[in-house]
Amino acid sequence: MNGFNRRRAALCLLVLTLGLLCAVTAAGTLLAGQAMVTDFTRKNLPPCVPFLFGTDWMGRDMLSRTLTGLSLSIRIGLLTAAVSAGIALLVGACSALLGGWVDGALSWFVDLVMGIPHILLVILISLAFGKGFAGVVAGVALSHWTSLARVVRGEVLQVRAMPYVQVAEKLGLSRWAILRRHLLPHLLPQFLTGLVLLFPHAILHEASVTFLGFGLPPEQPAIGVILSESMGYLTTGKWWLAVFPGLSLVGVVVLFALLADQLRRLLDPASVHE
Amino acid sequence: MSLEGKNLSFAYRRQGRVLEKLSLTLEPGERVGLTGASGRGKTTLCRLLAGYERPDRGEVLLDGRPLGRWRGLCPVQMIWQHPETAVDPLLRLRDTLSEAGGVEAGLLEALHIQPGWLDRYPAELSGGELQRFCIARALTPGVRYLLCDEMTAMLDPITQAQIWKLLLEQAEGRRLGLLIVSHDSSLLQRLCTRVQTL
């Protein structure tokens, strides 16, 4: 009975991914100073023992630059995902609970935002907010809430129509009690999974707008900046400038997706016996 | 002092009326049977009388007052045909029962609810076991009319007999009005003071 079941495996994997992501963030923050150090005696080194990811044309250590970039990405991801999820919860819940013309208007607005290509919207909002950190966070946060808002709206509508909620109303429970006892517990797993799944999106879009030059300023060692700078050196055979930072970005995104998957498995009551 | 449905008309869509000018009165202590072919609106009538739906025309009165005006615990409770949808899958059954303001231990025993079941989730009990919880919940003090929609269709005959015996005792002791929906004419003959066909 108490063997190594799938639930326990999911929990281990969850802790492991969370630990890895924390380690990357901590390492990146600690190495932030080292990422800016230039030394022309060691420029353009391919990957070797002291510099695992090689060095660039100014002799900067690519490993510490990559880690610093990732930690910046993770922090931006956290912030934007939290803001996005907050907006999604508000819009989705209002839409479902108020109904009528409010629902119509909000659903129309969700469709409108969804209809504009993500990257275009992120660039426009980022420009409007003056680019930089604030621009990227605003751009990604204000464009990524739509699908989660739809999920929240659908879930609230569905649970509200369930017989057990109607029975609870007839038993004289207050609206607040029904919200707390019946709606929130059903909403939480969907919401948390949606929230964590927002991270990879946010991180990738942050890197893309920065790569395109509408995001973080060039002096910051962000993944998007590193990748866009490396473009000029790829043709001269300096492959390590793009390959390692690119792969690490993919790695972080996969870790977040894995995290969301394990979280969903742990919160889903149907998997209690797995 | 009765539960009255007056000239009830109801349609789920614009066309195809399920109920047309139907009237039904339920007095305290009375046991009315309701039968009819599938799709004739037996469940719909229960939903209207319990206040889950509003009739398109006509009204549901409790003691002469519209049922929709009652606040707090509704004195008319319905026992659903499918108990697995009528309990929250994320709540332990102890918490589900507590929504009815707690149920006395004697009633749980009479319904053959084992104490261990209270700490389980609905997915860990069978339909018949869940239905007993729904019945216990609906028998909370303050309830005066029970609408039983195919309540025992999923139970074996012995359990059916036990549950109806208990319910009849409760109805007698508390002067509950019962509306019993069933396809089983011999069951209705046994239980009801009168039978109405839809």
Side-chain angles (χ1 to χ4, degrees), chain B residues 115-184:
Chain B
W117 294 357
L118 288 169
D119 290 315
R120 293 203 198 168
Y121 287 102
E124 298 166 327
L125 289 171
S126 74
E129 287 163 348
L130 285 177
Q131 191 64 293
R132 296 171 212 205
F133 281 95
C134 293
I135 296 168
R137 179 172 65 175
L139 281 174
T140 186
V143 172
R144 288 157 44 204
Y145 296 94
L146 269 187
L147 315 178
C148 313
D149 182 14
E150 295 273 15
M151 176 178 95
T152 53
M154 80 289 287
L155 297 174
D156 63 276
I158 295 175
T159 319
Q160 274 196 36
Q162 285 170 341
I163 284 183
W164 282 117
K165 188 163 169 284
L166 170 96
L167 208 59
L168 290 190
E169 280 168 15
Q170 289 276 334
E172 207 110 316
R174 292 163 53 173
R175 284 188 56 72
L176 295 176
L178 295 184
L179 182 72
I180 300 167
V181 177
S182 180
H183 286 294
D184 188 344

Side-chain angles (χ1 to χ4, degrees), chain A residues 6 23 39 56 67 117 139 184 186 203 213 216 218-219 230 253:
Chain A
R6 278 169 72 179
D39 183 349
D56 65 4
L67 283 175
L184 283 184
H186 282 270
I203 290 173
L216 298 171
E219 74 273 9
S230 72
V253 167

Side-chain angles (χ1 to χ4, degrees), chain A residues 162-173 181-183 185-186 189 267 269 272-273, chain B residues 47 50-52 72-74 77 80 85-91 95 98-100 124 137:
Chain A
M162 289 303 283
Y164 55 82
V165 172
Q166 300 181 0
V167 170
E169 276 170 21
K170 287 286 157 207
L171 285 170
L173 260 70
R181 289 176 67 102
H182 295 293
L183 274 174
H186 282 270
L267 290 172
V272 163
H273 296 297
Chain B
R47 289 175 61 86
Y52 288 111
L73 174 79
C74 180
Q77 290 288 328
W80 296 62
T85 62
V87 290
D88 190 333
L90 296 185
L91 281 185
D95 298 321
S98 75
E99 283 182 359
E124 298 166 327
R137 179 172 65 175

